[in-house]
Amino acid sequence: MNTLKNRKLGLFVPIALAVMISVMGGFFAGYRLSEMHPHAGNKIDAILNIIDREYVDAVDIHQLIETTAANLVKELDPHSTLISVEELQTTMDNLEGSFSGIGVSFTTPSDTILITSVISGGPAEKVGILPFDRIITIDDSTYAGKSITDTQIMRTLRGARDTRVKLGIQRGGSPELIYFEVTRGDVPNYSIDVSYALGEIGYIKASSFARTTYNEFITALAKLQKEGCNSYVIDLRGNRGGYLDIAIRMANEFLPAKQLIVYMEGNAYERQSFYADGSGSFQHTPLVVLVDEMSGSASEVFAGTVQDNDRGLIIGRRTYGKGLVQNSIMMEDGSELRLTVARYYTPSGRCIQKMYEMGKSEEYDQDLNIRYRHGEFYVVDSIKMDKSLTYQTQLIGRKVYGGGGIMPDLFIPLDTSQITSYYDAVINSGALYQFVLEYSERNHAKLSAYHSYEDLYAYLKQQPLVAEFTDYAETKGIRKRPTLIQISRELMETAIHAYIVRNFFDSAGFYPIFQKDDIPIFRAVQVIRDGEWLPRVP
């Protein structure tokens, strides 16, 4: 029996391809194809040699090998993948909890790098870079006016610790550039987006299961407990997964000793089970977990063990359905093969992995679109669950279903009541975000004088921001639609307030405002206060 005290895992859980990316890491040695299947290796080598020697046109053999290898892995399942050297570092940065960079957040309106926030104590702040500065040049190369992706910009600004990057900054309306030489340093990459108290109930939103998530999680719980919270809502909506051992450690905080958290097994992978060790500090506190269709992998492990152990309620919509375990194998060229070696199962024996066919990853990637078209996000009866895959929870024997994802105990449909074609237009065009940035920059002195997000929010609520915004949107070619504006007014106003506040108080101010009318959070708070958070036999 594995407990949290006697194991050291090198595991992390991936999520897949176009919809999700995360990983489950490795403790198996890799094998060369020629060592396992010498005839297959010789055949591939022979074909490549013939192509190189006799093909009608010149061929980049290296690129051909890369493409062939990637396609070979794709034929297996939707989550086995070959990650290039270039992609690997960015992927790992997102999970390790920190990276070396300059410590700024940015956006790119009108093909210009606009700094939206500067991390306190980070390299950029130390040299005097400010929010709403514009990066025009990087190491004497001009970046303004170029069509360049955020990923490309991040790769340019990030780099090895103690290396230097020279930035040409435009500040305010001045045409003259100010030059800063920034020495890159460690920049924290937080995965607990926010934690705040809703009366006696603590709310924690986790965006991933990164290497630092457990420590962030414990810190958030301790802070909320100090503020008088005695119940908790854990929000895993949109959480695509991450390190499996982090999910296990987080679940351990809420479970009594010897309760099964998760187990894994595969054709060449002996069953390995993980149990709570009884050291958790919140084993008896009321608990609700929020999920949606983008909650995957490690999120499903956490939600699945809470549900199967009858420890709390799961609220939201059916999760993604990613239950395959990847082993990480480093290749000689620095790329990484992530090969599916097992499936993981919830305590009741459910495999969360949804159905797939080998080599048909495109169909698999369309699953969420198919669910949407079938109405699953709006009507609970539209959810197609395989009733033949029925399991029972551990304590009270409730029915739960396998066949793909975690079905919530309390279904909350996607709320589109205030979404109109006008709202879609201002969001999809970027007009709302551009308005927020320009308004924040134009009024920076006044808005930055507020010492709390509550005070800034109170001020903003007195301003006619929706009227100002719709005038602004019209200058961007979006015609006013009074009836539609009225339907979407509250939604737009909340978004405008929240995004302005975020420019001055980051996530700590953004989420309490942006989520003030969030129905799943409202229902979570309601079931806890009504004493209905503990599952019962139907």
Side-chain angles (χ1 to χ4, degrees), residues 439-501:
Y439 181 89
S440 300
E441 185 177 17
R442 189 170 63 251
N443 298 281
H444 183 263
K446 181 175 182 61
L447 301 181
S448 61
Y450 288 95
H451 297 295
S452 71
Y453 82 82
E454 292 93 343
D455 289 342
L456 175 55
Y457 180 42
Y459 167 77
L460 293 174
K461 286 195 293 185
Q462 303 303 313
Q463 309 309 308
L465 289 176
V466 172
E468 286 186 40
F469 167 64
T470 54
D471 288 342
Y472 174 88
E474 195 164 37
T475 68
K476 302 297 181 181
I478 303 174
R479 182 171 62 90
K480 286 185 180 180
R481 305 284 297 278
T483 300
L484 301 183
I485 289 172
Q486 188 57 37
I487 294 172
S488 298
R489 172 176 291 276
E490 187 175 359
L491 202 59
M492 290 190 295
E493 186 173 57
T494 296
I496 292 168
H497 290 162
Y499 283 112
I500 291 174
V501 168

Side-chain angles (χ1 to χ4, degrees), residues 322-343:
K322 197 283 175 190
L324 298 178
V325 180
Q326 275 70 49
N327 174 32
S328 173
I329 303 169
M330 292 303 298
M331 310 305 287
E332 290 182 354
D333 66 349
S335 60
E336 183 175 279
L337 171 63
R338 291 176 181 165
L339 184 68
T340 297
V341 296
R343 290 179 172 84

Side-chain angles (χ1 to χ4, degrees), residues 205-226:
K205 180 173 178 57
S207 59
S208 68
F209 290 84
R211 184 50 60 204
T212 59
T213 304
Y214 176 74
N215 289 337
E216 294 176 47
F217 186 65
I218 292 300
T219 299
L221 285 170
K223 183 199 77 167
L224 292 170
Q225 192 175 44
K226 189 175 181 180

Side-chain angles (χ1 to χ4, degrees), residues 114-151:
L114 177 64
I115 295 173
T116 55
S117 65
V118 180
I119 294 176
S120 178
E125 186 193 54
K126 289 177 180 177
V127 300
I129 292 175
L130 301 174
F132 306 108
D133 282 349
R134 287 175 166 81
I135 300 176
I136 305 301
T137 64
I138 303 176
D139 288 332
D140 297 324
S141 295
T142 300
Y143 279 73
K146 288 186 176 180
S147 180
I148 187 168
T149 67
D150 287 356
T151 300

Side-chain angles (χ1 to χ4, degrees), residues 147-184:
S147 180
I148 187 168
T149 67
D150 287 356
T151 300
Q152 291 172 313
I153 296 169
M154 281 193 292
R155 286 176 181 168
T156 304
L157 295 179
R158 292 182 183 182
R161 179 186 174 91
D162 295 329
T163 59
R164 296 181 179 182
V165 59
K166 181 182 177 184
L167 303 179
I169 297 293
Q170 186 180 59
R171 180 167 293 169
S174 173
E176 299 296 325
L177 298 187
I178 310 170
Y179 291 94
F180 296 90
E181 189 169 74
V182 188
T183 301
R184 296 182 179 96

Side-chain angles (χ1 to χ4, degrees), residues 200-201 522-534 536:
E200 74 287 2
I201 299 170
F522 173 80
R523 292 304 304 274
V525 169
Q526 186 179 49
V527 298
I528 289 175
R529 288 179 176 166
D530 291 346
E532 297 177 354
W533 62 272
L534 193 62
R536 298 184 178 91

